[in-house]
C-alpha cells in the first residue's frame, strides 16, 4: 500500500509491495492497481489521526482482506490459463479480428513467432478465398453478437501447410455484458485427420483387391473347366489314332496275302489284279484319311501348348493373388495398430481434462461463480462426448476385422428383443411400434442386431419433437434377397444431401438439435455390406424417413 498526492487529491494505492508494477493477467495484460481517492480537504484535518490508524492497524485488516481476495482471483485465473495452455492452443482477438495474444502451443503448431502475429488480422491464418467470402463475414458478425463458434477449423501455417483444429471461438464479455474480445481455444487434430483419411484409402484399396480376387477366382475356375474339356478331347483323339493304326496294320496284312494269292493263282491274275486295284484305292483313301488325322493331331497338340501357356499364366496370377492377400493382412494389422492408438492416445487427453475439472470442482467449488460452474460442466459434457466418439470410431474400425459368422436368424424375435431393451427417460413420449411378421434371414446375429439398434434408435431420436412417435417395421421378398424397412414420421432430411448420409462423421442436423457422433449409419452400411447386402433411404424434410437394407434370401 502507498499514498500519492496529485492536484489536492490523495490516493491510497492497494498493491503487492514487492511486485506492484509487474502484476499481469495470465493472458498477458497488466492488471490495474486498485486506488482509493480521498479529498485533500477532507484529509487535512485528520491526517495525523489517519496515520495513527494505519500504524495502529485499525483499517489494515480490511485492506489485507481485499488484497487476499485479489490474489485469490489472480491465482484462479492463472490456474485456468495454465490448464488450457497445457493441452490446447489459444489465441486472443479484438472484435475487429486483430490478434492480441497467442500462447506457445499455437505458435509452435503454426510455425509463427509472437512478433509475426501480434496486431495482424485473423484472415492471415485462413485461406484467402474463404477470408473474402460471405461465410467469413457472417462468422465474425456472429462473434460480434456474442455467439460462440464451435467446430473443426482449417488454418494455414506459416510454411503453407494446412492444420486441422477442433475447438471454439468464444466471445469475452465486459461488465456491461458486451463482447470486447474473442478467445479461440483449440486442439491440433491434424494427425488423426490424416490417419483417418489414410485408413479410408486403405479400405478402398482393400475392397478393390477383394473384387479383383473374386474375378480372378472365376477366371481360374473357367480355365480349369476348359483344361478338363481339352484333356477329354485329347484322350478321344488318341483313341482314334490307335484305332487307325490298327486298321493300317490289318490292311497291310490283307495286301500281303493278296500278293501271295496273285503269284499262286496266275489263272485269276486279271480278276485278282482288279481286286488289287480296288484294294490300292482303299489304301490310298486310308492314306489320305491318315494325313487328315495327322493334321488334326498337330492341331490338337498346338491347342494343348496354348492351354499349357494359359495354365502357366493362371499360376502366375495365383502368386499375385497370394501377394495381394499378404498386403491385405498387413493393412488389417495396421488398422489394429491404429485402433489401439485411438483407444490409448486419444483417451489420455480426455482423462486429463476430466481430472483437472474434478480438481476444480472438489478444491475450488466455493470460489467459482455460477458462470464458472457452467463452463466446467460444459467441459465435462464435451469430454464425455469425445469419449463416446472414440468408442464409436473403435467400433467402426473393428468391423473390418471381425469374422462374420453365419446362422439362421429369427428376425421378428430379434427386433422385439431390441425394442424391449430400449429405455426411456421420465416424461419422454413412448414410441408406438407397428411390426409386421419379418422374414427370417441368414447372417451374424450380433452384427444384424446392431443394425436394428442403430436404425430404431435413430427413428426414435429424430421423432422426439413430434406429438406422437410412430414407427413401422416390415419386410418383403424380392427374388434372391429380403428387403427390411423401418419407417418414421419424424424430422426427416433433405435428399439433396443424401450422398453424406452414410459417411463417417457426416451429420444432416445440428448437434444442438439432435445429439450424435455421425458414425451410426456408417456402421449400419459396413455390417450390411459384409453380409453381401445394400442399405438405402428415402425421406422428405419434416415428413419422416424410411430406411431399407437387404440380405440374401436363405432359400437361394
Amino acid at each position: 500500500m502507498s499514498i500519492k498526492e496529485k492536484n489536492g487529491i490523495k490516493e491510497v494505492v492497494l498493491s503487492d509491495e514487492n511486485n506492484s508494477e509487474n502484476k499481469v493477467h495470465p493472458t498477458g495484460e497488466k492488471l490495474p492497481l486498485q486506488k482509493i481517492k480521498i479529498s485533500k480537504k477532507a484529509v487535512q484535518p485528520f491526517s495525523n489521526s489517519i496515520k495513527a490508524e494505519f500504524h495502529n492497524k485499525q483499517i489494515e485488516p480490511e485492506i489485507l482482506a481485499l488484497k487476499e481476495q485479489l490474489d485469490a482471483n489472480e491465482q484462479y485465473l492463472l490456474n485456468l490459463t495454465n490448464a488450457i495452455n497445457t493441452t490446447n492452443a489459444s489465441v486472443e482477438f479484438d472484435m475487429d479480428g486483430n490478434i492480441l495474444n497467442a500462447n506457445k502451443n499455437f505458435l509452435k503448431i503454426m510455425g509463427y513467432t509472437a512478433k509475426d502475429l501480434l496486431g495482424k488480422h485473423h484472415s492471415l491464418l485462413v485461406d484467402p478465398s474463404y477470408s473474402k467470402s460471405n461465410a467469413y463475414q457472417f462468422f465474425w458478425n456472429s462473434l460480434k453478437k456474442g455467439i460462440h463458434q464451435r467446430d473443426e477449423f482449417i488454418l494455414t501455417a506459416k510454411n503453407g501447410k494446412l492444420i486441422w483444429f477442433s475447438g471454439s471461438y468464444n466471445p469475452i464479455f465486459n461488465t456491461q455484458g458486451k463482447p470486447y474480445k474473442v478467445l479461440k481455444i483449440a486442439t491440433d487434430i491434424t494427425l488423426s485427420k490424416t490417419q483417418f483419411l489414410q485408413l479410408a484409402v486403405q479400405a478402398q484399396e482393400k475392397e478393390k483387391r477383394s473384387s479383383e480376387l473374386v474375378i480372378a477366382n472365376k477366371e481360374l475356375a473357367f480355365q480349369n473347366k476348359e483344361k478338363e474339356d481339352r484333356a477329354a478331347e485329347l484322350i478321344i483323339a488318341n483313341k482314334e489314332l490307335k484305332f487307325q493304326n490298327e486298321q493300317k496294320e490289318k490292311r497291310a496284312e490283307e495286301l500281303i496275302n493278296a500278293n501271295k494269292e496273285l503269284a499262286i493263282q496266275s489263272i485269276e491274275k486279271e480278276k485278282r489284279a482288279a481286286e488289287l486295284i480296288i484294294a490300292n484305292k482303299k489304301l490310298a483313301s486310308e492314306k489320305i484319311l491318315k494325313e487328315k488325322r495327322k493334321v488334326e493331331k498337330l492341331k490338337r497338340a498346338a491347342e494343348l501348348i496354348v492351354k499349357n501357356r494359359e495354365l502357366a499364366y493362371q499360376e502366375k496370377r495365383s502368386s499375385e493373388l497370394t501377394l495381394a492377400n499378404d498386403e491385405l493382412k498387413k493393412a488389417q494389422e495396421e488398422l489394429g495398430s491404429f485402433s489401439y492408438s485411438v483407444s490409448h492416445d486419444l483417451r489420455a487427453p480426455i482423462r486429463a481434462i476430466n481430472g483437472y475439472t474434478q480438481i476444480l470442482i472438489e478444491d475450488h467449488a466455493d470460489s467459482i461463480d455460477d458462470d464458472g460452474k457452467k463452463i466446467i460442466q460444459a467441459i465435462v459434457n464435451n469430454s464425455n462426448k469425445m469419449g463416446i466418439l472414440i468408442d464409436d470410431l473403435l467400433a467402426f474400425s473393428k468391423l473390418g476385422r471381425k469374422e462374420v459368422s453365419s446362422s439362421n436368424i429369427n428376425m421378428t424375435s430379434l427386433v422385439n428383443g431390441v425394442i424391449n431393451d430400449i429405455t426411456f427417460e421420465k416424461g419422454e413420449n413412448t414410441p408406438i411400434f407397428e411390426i409386421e411378421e419379418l422374414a427370417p434371414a441368414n447372417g451374424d446375429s450380433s452384427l444384424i442386431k446392431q443394425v436394428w439398434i442403430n436404425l430404431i434408435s435413430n427413428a426414435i431420436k429424430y421423432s422426439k419433437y413430434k406429438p406422437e412417435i410412430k414407427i413401422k417395421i416390415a419386410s418383403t421378398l424380392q427374388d434372391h434377397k429380403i428387403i427390411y424397412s423401418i419407417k418414421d414420421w419424424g424430422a426427416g432430411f433433405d435428399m439433396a444431401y443424401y450422398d453424406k448420409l452414410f459417411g463417417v462423421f457426416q451429420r444432416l442436423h445440428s448437434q444442438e438439435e439432435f445429439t450424435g457422433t455421425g458414425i451410426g449409419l456408417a456402421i449400419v452400411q459396413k455390417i450390411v455390406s459384409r453380409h453381401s447386402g445394400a442399405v438405402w433411404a428415402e425421406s422428405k424434410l419434416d415428413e419422416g424417413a424410411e430406411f431399407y437394407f437387404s440380405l440374401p434370401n436363405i432359400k437361394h
Side-chain angles (χ1 to χ4, degrees), residues 12-263:
V12 180
V13 182
L14 306 180
S15 65
D16 187 339
E17 295 178 354
N18 296 324
N19 196 18
S20 62
E21 297 300 326
N22 297 322
K23 184 66 70 175
V24 296
H25 189 279
T27 61
E29 296 181 350
K30 288 188 177 181
L31 294 174
L33 301 177
Q34 289 191 356
K35 299 181 180 181
I36 302 175
K37 293 186 178 181
I38 305 174
S39 170
K40 181 176 181 181
K41 182 178 180 180
V43 171
Q44 189 66 35
F46 304 101
S47 60
N48 293 331
S49 62
I50 290 174
K51 291 179 181 179
E53 287 177 358
F54 277 115
H55 288 295
N56 294 329
K57 299 182 181 180
Q58 292 181 356
I59 67 172
E60 191 163 333
E62 180 180 354
I63 296 173
L64 289 175
L66 291 174
K67 181 179 179 300
E68 290 175 357
Q69 182 179 359
L70 178 62
D71 290 342
N73 289 338
E74 290 177 351
Q75 186 61 43
Y76 168 68
L77 293 175
L78 183 60
N79 289 340
L80 284 179
T81 303
N82 289 337
I84 293 173
N85 288 336
T86 300
T87 57
N88 292 277
S90 65
V91 191
E92 287 186 2
F93 305 91
D94 62 20
M95 296 313 293
D96 291 326
N98 299 315
I99 300 173
L100 301 176
N101 191 18
N103 70 354
K104 293 180 179 179
N105 286 345
F106 184 82
L107 296 175
K108 180 179 179 181
I109 293 170
M110 299 297 290
Y112 285 103
T113 64
K115 185 177 179 181
D116 294 333
L117 295 181
L118 295 183
K120 302 295 177 61
H121 194 267
H122 172 269
S123 58
L124 173 68
L125 305 175
V126 301
D127 185 83
S129 62
Y130 173 63
S131 66
K132 298 176 182 178
S133 66
N134 293 332
Y136 184 72
Q137 188 63 38
F138 178 78
F139 171 80
W140 275 103
N141 288 340
S142 298
L143 290 175
K144 292 178 180 180
K145 294 177 182 179
I147 302 173
H148 79 282
Q149 306 291 324
R150 182 181 184 279
D151 204 341
E152 292 182 354
F153 304 95
I154 302 178
L155 299 184
T156 306
K158 186 175 182 180
N159 61 5
K161 181 180 178 182
L162 297 180
I163 307 297
W164 284 82
F165 284 100
S166 176
S168 59
Y169 286 81
N170 307 280
I172 307 300
F173 299 89
N174 58 21
T175 56
Q176 286 78 33
K178 294 183 178 180
Y180 70 98
K181 67 170 63 174
V182 175
L183 174 62
K184 172 183 172 59
I185 302 175
T187 302
D188 182 4
I189 61 171
T190 304
L191 178 60
S192 63
K193 275 287 183 181
T194 302
Q195 290 176 339
F196 176 77
L197 294 175
Q198 290 174 349
L199 179 62
V201 172
Q202 291 173 356
Q204 290 178 351
E205 185 65 24
K206 179 183 69 175
E207 292 180 359
K208 180 180 178 182
R209 293 294 185 186
S210 299
S211 299
E212 291 176 351
L213 180 61
V214 172
I215 295 172
N217 286 333
K218 289 181 179 179
E219 290 180 354
L220 182 60
F222 176 78
Q223 294 298 332
N224 287 334
K225 186 177 183 303
E226 288 292 312
K227 182 181 70 174
E228 292 174 358
D229 292 343
R230 295 303 182 188
E233 291 174 356
L234 184 60
I235 291 172
I236 294 172
N238 288 332
K239 288 181 178 181
E240 290 178 351
L241 181 60
K242 182 179 180 182
F243 174 77
Q244 293 299 327
N245 289 332
E246 291 175 352
Q247 290 294 315
K248 183 181 71 173
E249 292 175 358
K250 183 178 178 180
R251 295 302 180 186
E253 268 183 87
E254 291 176 352
L255 183 59
I256 292 171
N257 292 332
N259 288 330
K260 287 180 179 180
E261 289 178 1
L262 182 61

Side-chain angles (χ1 to χ4, degrees), residues 221-422:
F222 176 78
Q223 294 298 332
N224 287 334
K225 186 177 183 303
E226 288 292 312
K227 182 181 70 174
E228 292 174 358
D229 292 343
R230 295 303 182 188
E233 291 174 356
L234 184 60
I235 291 172
I236 294 172
N238 288 332
K239 288 181 178 181
E240 290 178 351
L241 181 60
K242 182 179 180 182
F243 174 77
Q244 293 299 327
N245 289 332
E246 291 175 352
Q247 290 294 315
K248 183 181 71 173
E249 292 175 358
K250 183 178 178 180
R251 295 302 180 186
E253 268 183 87
E254 291 176 352
L255 183 59
I256 292 171
N257 292 332
N259 288 330
K260 287 180 179 180
E261 289 178 1
L262 182 61
I264 295 171
Q265 300 175 2
S266 57
I267 299 173
E268 298 180 357
K269 177 180 178 181
E270 291 181 1
K271 181 180 178 181
R272 296 301 182 188
E275 291 178 353
L276 183 58
I277 291 172
I278 294 172
N280 285 333
K281 287 182 178 180
K282 285 185 177 181
L283 185 60
S285 298
E286 290 173 358
K287 186 176 180 180
I288 293 172
L289 183 60
K290 176 183 176 182
E291 291 297 329
K292 289 182 178 179
R293 296 295 185 186
K294 184 178 180 180
V295 171
E296 186 69 21
K297 179 180 177 182
L298 292 174
K299 180 180 178 181
R300 296 296 182 187
E303 291 177 351
L304 184 60
I305 291 172
V306 173
K307 293 304 174 185
N308 287 335
R309 289 176 179 175
E310 291 177 351
L311 182 60
Y313 173 76
Q314 292 301 323
E315 291 176 351
K316 180 181 177 182
R317 289 297 303 273
S318 179
S319 299
E320 292 175 350
L321 291 175
T322 301
L323 180 61
N325 286 331
D326 292 339
E327 292 176 352
L328 180 61
K329 183 178 179 182
K330 182 178 179 182
Q332 290 175 340
E333 291 174 352
E334 292 174 350
L335 179 61
S337 299
F338 173 73
S339 299
Y340 175 80
S341 175
V342 169
S343 62
H344 183 272
D345 297 341
L346 292 185
R347 289 182 184 277
I350 299 301
R351 287 195 295 267
I353 292 173
N354 284 334
Y356 283 125
T357 52
Q358 190 63 33
I359 291 173
L360 288 175
I361 293 172
E362 293 178 356
D363 298 344
H364 305 284
D366 295 338
S367 61
I368 300 174
D369 59 11
D370 292 340
D371 289 339
K373 292 177 180 178
K374 290 180 180 179
I375 292 173
I376 292 175
Q377 187 60 45
I379 294 173
V380 172
N381 292 340
N382 282 288
S383 64
N384 290 335
K385 289 178 183 177
M386 187 62 183
I388 294 172
L389 182 60
I390 292 171
D391 292 338
D392 287 348
L393 183 60
L394 283 173
F396 181 75
S397 65
K398 288 178 180 177
L399 285 177
R401 294 178 292 133
K402 185 181 185 302
E403 183 177 352
V404 178
S405 62
S406 182
S407 62
N408 290 336
I409 303 174
N410 185 332
M411 201 64 76
T412 302
S413 176
L414 180 66
V415 171
N416 286 330
V418 170
I419 292 173
N420 291 334
D421 290 341
I422 296 176

Side-chain angles (χ1 to χ4, degrees), residues 416-483:
N416 286 330
V418 170
I419 292 173
N420 291 334
D421 290 341
I422 296 176
T423 59
F424 301 97
E425 298 291 337
K426 185 177 181 180
E428 288 184 342
N429 289 340
T430 301
I432 300 173
F433 288 95
E434 179 183 343
I435 304 174
E436 297 181 0
E437 187 68 26
L438 302 178
N442 187 273
D444 191 309
S445 179
S446 62
L447 292 179
I448 298 301
K449 181 178 180 180
Q450 188 62 50
V451 170
W452 283 112
I453 290 173
N454 289 5
L455 292 178
I456 293 174
S457 299
N458 274 7
I460 294 173
K461 177 173 66 176
Y462 290 108
S463 301
K464 68 180 182 177
Y465 296 122
K466 297 292 182 178
E468 180 181 73
I469 300 177
K470 183 180 178 182
I471 298 171
K472 181 180 179 181
I473 299 175
S475 68
T476 57
L477 296 177
Q478 190 179 91
D479 297 331
H480 61 284
K481 61 185 177 181
I482 307 171
I483 299 176

